Amino acid sequence: MNSTLTFRHGIHPEEYKELSEHCRVERMPFVEEYILPLAQHLGAPSKPLVQKGNKVKRGQKIAAANGFVSVALHSPVDGTVTGISLAENPNGQMVQSIIIKADPFSTQQLTPSIPKSYEEMNVKEFIASVQDAGIVGLGGAAFPAHVKFSIPEGKTCRYIMLNGCECEPFLTSDHRTMVEYPDDVMDGIRILQHFLKAEKIFIGIEANKPDAINILHEKAKNSGLPVEVIPLKVKYPQGAEKMMINAIIAKEVPSGKLPLDIEALVTNISSIAAISQWFRKGQPLIERIVTVTGTAVKRPANILVPFGTPMRDVVELCGGITSEAARILLGGPMMGMVQKSLDIPVVKGTSGILILTSDEVKDLSQYTCIRCGRCLEACPMYLNPSLLGMLAKKGLWEEMETNHILDCFECGCCSYVCPSGIPLVQSFRVGKSIIREHNAREKEKEKV
């Protein structure tokens, strides 16, 4: 299946989807202990509702949202709270976490608390309900879904776009969601459309997933909804929201603006399935599909994993790693985070566990920039990564901001194509962090 719809620039790395794309979703058995960070979404960490010694049930709310940009957290298992203490998060930080010892007789059954029918809700109640279900963007960023669905006064949502691209190499969890849970996807669309009333709904899927395209196309045809499945050219980062908008409706989100500024809203396809599971079954977000893959994994698979499960247990379910294993990544190879061990928990943003051999890990030797211009041709945001890299090296943060570094979403295309091995994205992260901190301080001064 071919498609020419896409955006300009970008790259096409080797896909490696064949390792797991046909692996049906398996359910992870319960393990002995779960570690649930209170900060596993963007925004304020959740606020604990339990104490050491409390008995909890699978699906029970154990932490409440602590502000608008925050979501609730639920227990993935029947068990006992053994502590609330600092534990290592996948981002490397030590964060407050609820530790639960699983009841050895815990079942996969929920004690559901089904919210009232969405047809009886107004928009405000719907937004509050999605927040209470703990639903976030499952593409990896873990941005609270209810914030994205809150349309500010004066704005309209003319187009809803569901991101089924999964353009990162290796990852196949969204692919399996579309193939195995298409009814949940369509039902989630129906629920969201009830409130947002978009003129058109697009499901964008890269053309290397013909089974998902065909299944959802048939479901959409009989749904009675204004849904259209759009096959997109296989290219990275086709799943980035600004790239998807550009490919489907040929509009560009202006610098510093959001998709809603051009009447579009983009959300991950697995998050939409989670909305259906909440309103139909009363199941909050307590688990997700994780792709365990890479040439150093003995049995690549797609596993439905309860949050808080140590990654070591998940990998062991897949037969463990080979003796050639050299690097662990959470997420895909382009935007994933390198991990020093598997002794950290699966959280809401864990789309994949990728383990590579030394032959696949790029040599980190750096050489001088040769002005070849490949990074300019690859950057989907039309930035000048070469120039920005030099400014970062000299600590010229203000000049970096002038050259639109804050538009960079760290896709890694520039680093991937750089023949000199310059870690451009890493220097951009440092620069963006310093600029944001400086800007925040300036705002505080203005308030005083």
Side-chain angles (χ1 to χ4, degrees), residues 106-419:
S106 178
T107 71
Q108 300 284 351
Q109 298 298 316
L110 281 170
T111 307
S113 173
I114 297 178
K116 71 178 182 180
S117 171
Y118 72 88
E119 290 97 338
E120 300 170 15
M121 292 182 172
N122 57 37
V123 174
K124 192 175 178 182
E125 290 170 328
F126 168 70
I127 295 297
S129 187
V130 172
Q131 182 180 26
D132 207 40
I135 298 173
V136 301
L138 293 174
F143 186 74
H146 69 280
V147 178
K148 185 167 279 193
F149 300 155
S150 300
I151 310 299
E153 194 174 343
K155 303 281 185 188
T156 57
C157 177
R158 190 175 175 192
Y159 307 108
I160 296 174
M161 298 186 194
L162 304 188
N163 178 8
C165 285
E166 201 161 49
C167 58
E168 275 263 16
F170 287 99
L171 303 183
T172 56
S173 59
D174 284 345
H175 183 179
R176 296 313 305 177
T177 297
M178 291 185 282
V179 170
E180 298 187 48
Y181 304 95
D183 291 331
D184 285 353
V185 170
M186 293 308 301
D187 188 52
I189 293 173
R190 187 177 299 282
I191 293 170
L192 188 60
Q193 173 68 353
H194 178 80
F195 294 99
L196 299 191
K197 304 190 187 314
E199 179 182 312
K200 190 78 180 178
I201 302 163
F202 299 103
I203 304 176
I205 307 174
E206 280 191 333
N208 59 358
K209 305 172 186 63
D211 49 357
I213 291 170
N214 291 334
I215 289 171
L216 288 179
H217 175 72
E218 287 303 311
K219 296 286 182 185
K221 199 167 60 175
N222 302 315
S223 68
L225 294 165
V227 185
E228 184 177 357
V229 177
I230 306 288
L232 296 168
K233 188 172 181 179
V234 181
K235 194 168 75 173
Y236 178 84
Q238 184 63 82
E241 61 181 9
K242 292 182 180 179
M243 278 58 264
M244 176 170 281
I245 292 169
N246 186 258
I248 295 178
I249 60 172
K251 288 188 176 182
E252 186 174 327
V253 180
S255 175
K257 299 291 184 182
L258 298 171
L260 270 180
D261 290 310
I262 56 168
E263 302 178 307
L265 183 151
V266 182
T267 187
N268 174 265
I269 198 111
S270 296
S271 304
I272 292 298
I275 287 174
S276 172
Q277 289 161 2
W278 169 239
F279 283 98
R280 301 299 186 190
K281 303 172 187 171
Q283 177 175 315
L285 194 65
I286 55 174
E287 57 192 12
R288 66 162 299 155
I289 301 172
V290 177
T291 301
V292 185
T293 187
T295 48
V297 172
K298 290 183 179 174
R299 185 179 69 86
N302 289 294
I303 313 288
L304 186 59
V305 184
F307 298 133
T309 306
M311 293 187 190
R312 185 173 300 282
D313 291 306
V314 182
V315 173
E316 284 179 3
L317 181 69
C318 299
I321 59 177
T322 68
S323 57
E324 292 82 24
R327 181 162 296 178
I328 305 165
L329 284 159
L330 286 191
M334 300 304 297
M335 296 186 75
M337 289 184 290
V338 176
Q339 302 295 313
K340 61 186 178 188
S341 85
L342 289 167
D343 294 320
I344 48 173
V346 167
V347 295
K348 295 182 178 182
T350 308
S351 55
I353 303 172
L354 174 60
I355 303 177
L356 302 172
T357 66
S358 55
D359 291 341
E360 298 165 311
V361 178
K362 191 175 179 181
D363 184 359
L364 294 178
S365 298
Q366 291 181 46
Y367 303 95
T368 304
C369 174
I370 57 174
R371 312 286 198 276
C372 64
R374 291 186 192 176
C375 56
L376 278 78
E377 293 173 3
C379 179
M381 295 302 294
Y382 301 97
L383 302 178
N384 186 336
S386 174
L387 172 63
L388 290 165
M390 286 189 282
L391 293 174
K393 197 172 180 179
K394 295 178 180 178
L396 298 173
W397 316 120
E398 288 184 12
E399 284 83 349
M400 287 183 77
E401 187 172 13
T402 306
N403 283 278
H404 306 289
I405 186 59
L406 295 180
D407 284 339
C408 170
F409 59 94
E410 302 169 17
C411 65
C413 288
C414 54
S415 296
Y416 180 84
V417 299
C418 179

Side-chain angles (χ1 to χ4, degrees), residues 37 39-40 87-95 339 344-345 347:
Q40 52 180 301
E88 189 171 355
N89 204 33
N91 65 8
Q93 296 178 341
M94 299 295 286
V95 298
Q339 302 295 313
I344 48 173
V347 295

Side-chain angles (χ1 to χ4, degrees), residues 40-79:
Q40 52 180 301
H41 54 266
L42 290 184
S46 310
K47 186 169 55 179
L49 298 172
V50 293
Q51 296 178 339
K52 183 178 178 180
N54 286 168
K55 298 281 187 185
V56 294
K57 289 289 186 183
R58 178 169 157 82
Q60 177 184 330
K61 186 160 71 175
I62 56 174
N66 194 14
F68 182 62
V69 187
S70 180
V71 295
L73 180 65
H74 304 77
S75 175
V77 67
D78 293 351

